[in-house]
Amino acid sequence: MDFNLSEEQLMIQQAARDFAQNELLPEVIERDRDQKFPTEQVKKMGEMGLLGMMVDPQYGGAGMDSVSYVLAMEEIAKIDASAAVVMSVNNSLVCAGLEKFASEEQKVKYLTPLASGKVIGAFALSEPEAGSDATSQKTTAEDKGDYYLLNGIKNWITNGGTASYYIVIAQTDPEKKHKGINAFIVERGWEGFEIGVKEDKLGIRGSDTHSLIFNNVKVPKENRIGEDGFGFNFAMAVLNGGRIGIASQALGIASGAYELALKYAKTRKAFKTEIINHQAIAFKLADMATQITAARMLCFKAAFEKDAGKDISESGAMAKLYASQVAMDTTIEAVQIHGGYGYVKEYHVERMMRDAKITQIYEGTSEIQRIVISRSIAK
C-alpha cells in the first residue's frame, strides 16, 4: 500500500487547513458559548466544494475520493467539530445516499443543490424510542395512492433547523417490520412539518440539533427513495459510509487537542524546565501521537476500501469505534497537560473534550460498532 498522498490530496488538505485557521478559528469559542450556527462559514465550505466532496460533478459535486474527504474532515474538526459534523452529515448521510440510491429525477432536483452547497440537508432516523434499535420506527408513512401521509417525531437531527431537504425514515407496513420501512425526501416548509426546539447540548454546540414533528405531511410518491420497503437497507448502507465521516471528525478533534497540548508542553515550564522534558508529560504525548496515527490509518483504510467498492461495514465500524475512543482519551489528557489552563475556555481543549463525547454516540454508539465488528469477524 502506498502511504504517500497525491499532490491533489495534499492540496485539498492544505486548503481545508487554511480555511479552518482563517475562517473557523476566529470566534469558535463564542459560537460554542452562544450555540451559534456557523452560517457564513458553512456557505464558504459549500463554495469550496466541501459539502459534496465525493459527488459526481454532473450533480454539482467535487468528484473527489474518500481519502481526500478524510483529510479535509480532520482539518476542519481540528478547529471546529460543529462545522465538521455539518460537513459530515451533508456529505456522508445525505449526498452519498442520494447519489447511490435516488432516481435520476431526485438527483437533479435535490442532490445537485445539496452537493454544490447551495443548501444543506439532514438525515432523520432517530426517534424518542428508536435510537440504536433503528427497526423500532414509530414514525409512519401511510400509503394513500399517489402520496404518503407522514406522522411522527424525529429526535437529535443535525442540521434540523437549517436544512432545506430532509431524508426521513418511516414505517409503512408494521407487519413487515424492517422490510416495511421506507426512506423519503421531505422539503422544508411543507404543510404539517414543524421544526422543534433546539437542543442545549454538552458539545458540538455550534451545530444545529432539533427534533422534527410530522403531522399529516403529504409526501409525493416520487419522493420515496428506492423500491417499497427499501428504507431500512438504505439507512444501514448510508450509516456505513457515515461512520467514516464521524471517525474523521473524531480524528480531527484528537489531533487538534494533541497539537495544542504539544505546543503548550514545549513552552510551559515547571521545576526549571519545559514540562515536555518531564517523563510523565512526555509519555502522555507519545501515547497520544501513537493512538492518533493508528486512528488515522483506520480511517484511511475504510476510505480506501470504500473507493475500491468493498464492503466497509467492518472497516468503517472499526475506524469509528477506535477514533472516537482516541478522541475522548486524547482530549482528557490534553486538558490534564494544560492543568488549570485546560479547564478554561480560552485554551480550547475543554471544548474539544466536550465535543469528543458525541463521537462515541451518534451514527451508531460504540456498543453498536462492537456488534457490527463481532458479527463480521464471526462469519
Side-chain angles (χ1 to χ4, degrees):
M1 182 181 292
D2 184 2
F3 285 93
N4 294 311
L5 299 175
S6 69
E7 185 176 342
E8 181 183 9
Q9 289 168 337
L10 290 170
M11 288 174 61
I12 292 165
Q13 183 185 48
Q14 188 62 51
R17 181 178 298 154
D18 291 343
F19 175 80
Q21 289 289 333
N22 297 328
E23 302 289 343
L24 291 173
L25 183 56
E27 299 183 357
V28 66
I29 292 173
E30 291 76 13
R31 289 196 301 275
D32 171 75
R33 180 193 66 205
D34 300 336
Q35 299 189 79
K36 183 181 178 183
F37 187 82
T39 303
E40 291 303 315
Q41 292 84 354
V42 169
K43 181 180 178 182
K44 291 177 181 178
M45 288 165 68
E47 293 169 354
M48 291 175 63
L50 294 177
L51 298 184
M53 288 188 68
M54 297 162 288
V55 176
D56 193 303
Q58 70 171 312
Y59 299 117
M64 301 178 192
D65 66 319
S66 297
V67 173
S68 295
Y69 175 50
V70 171
L71 293 169
M73 274 291 300
E74 180 182 357
E75 294 301 326
I76 298 298
K78 276 184 183 180
I79 304 300
D80 188 351
S82 295
V85 75
V86 175
M87 177 177 164
S88 177
V89 167
N90 208 71
N91 274 285
S92 297
L93 299 187
V94 180
C95 287
L98 291 177
E99 184 172 32
K100 186 170 183 179
F101 298 111
S103 67
E104 184 63 25
E105 293 77 13
Q106 290 169 344
K107 290 178 185 179
V108 171
K109 184 176 181 180
Y110 297 112
L111 177 58
T112 301
L114 286 162
S116 61
K118 292 184 173 66
V119 299
I120 60 174
F123 182 80
L125 174 64
S126 294
E127 297 182 359
E129 297 180 21
S132 294
D133 182 6
T135 61
S136 298
Q137 295 290 301
K138 296 293 188 294
T139 297
T140 59
E142 187 179 355
D143 192 340
K144 292 292 187 178
D146 58 348
Y147 67 90
Y148 289 89
L149 204 58
L150 190 64
N151 284 281
I153 299 174
K154 294 294 182 178
N155 265 20
W156 323 118
I157 308 305
T158 302
N159 301 344
T162 49
S164 294
Y165 306 132
Y166 302 75
I167 296 177
V168 181
I169 311 300
Q171 179 66 259
T172 299
D173 190 343
E175 291 185 2
K176 294 182 179 179
K177 298 182 180 179
H178 74 279
K179 293 183 179 180
I181 293 173
N182 280 303
F184 304 94
I185 305 169
V186 176
E187 297 183 21
R188 184 188 186 91
W190 278 358
E191 185 177 355
F193 177 19
E194 179 185 347
I195 297 168
V197 296
K198 186 174 184 177
E199 301 292 351
D200 188 1
K201 307 188 299 290
L202 170 74
I204 55 166
R205 288 169 60 81
S207 70
D208 193 25
T209 308
H210 289 256
S211 57
L212 308 176
I213 301 100
F214 304 97
N215 185 16
N216 290 330
V217 179
K218 288 185 177 181
V219 182
K221 209 63 167 282
E222 59 265 27
N223 278 42
R224 187 187 70 204
I225 301 172
E227 297 298 317
D228 186 28
F230 179 64
F232 181 77
N233 288 338
F234 169 84
M236 294 302 101
V238 167
L239 286 171
N240 278 340
R243 285 164 187 155
I244 296 177
I246 300 306
S248 303
Q249 181 197 25
L251 170 64
I253 294 169
S255 58
Y258 163 74
E259 289 176 7
L260 289 172
L262 178 62
K263 181 180 178 180
Y264 183 82
K266 287 180 176 180
T267 57
R268 170 70 170 174
K269 287 187 176 182
F271 305 102
K272 298 181 181 181
T273 187
E274 290 78 12
I275 62 173
I276 196 170
N277 296 322
H278 298 297
Q279 191 178 80
I281 303 301
F283 278 16
K284 288 181 187 293
L285 291 163
D287 287 343
M288 291 157 75
T290 302
Q291 291 161 5
I292 288 167
T293 300
R296 187 176 292 114
M297 292 301 102
L298 282 172
C299 290
F300 282 167
K301 180 177 185 289
F304 180 83
E305 290 184 353
K306 182 176 184 292
D307 287 339
K310 295 183 178 180
D311 179 3
I312 59 167
S313 56
E314 180 182 305
S315 60
M318 285 182 172
K320 184 184 182 297
L321 173 65
Y322 187 73
S324 62
Q325 186 63 56
V326 170
M328 201 69 246
D329 294 344
T330 300
T331 54
I332 289 172
E333 291 289 42
V335 171
Q336 190 72 17
I337 288 170
H338 279 77
Y341 291 106
Y343 210 66
V344 297
K345 295 184 183 299
E346 179 184 353
Y347 285 78
H348 298 285
V349 288
E350 65 84 27
R351 183 186 75 254
M352 293 174 167
M353 185 175 71
R354 289 186 285 106
D355 288 345
K357 185 58 195 175
I358 192 61
T359 65
Q360 295 181 306
I361 298 172
Y362 60 11
E363 291 191 38
T365 63
S366 294
E367 291 75 18
I368 291 295
Q369 305 313 312
R370 288 185 172 92
I371 290 173
V372 172
I373 295 164
S374 61
R375 286 176 177 173
S376 178
I377 62 178
K379 287 182 181 178

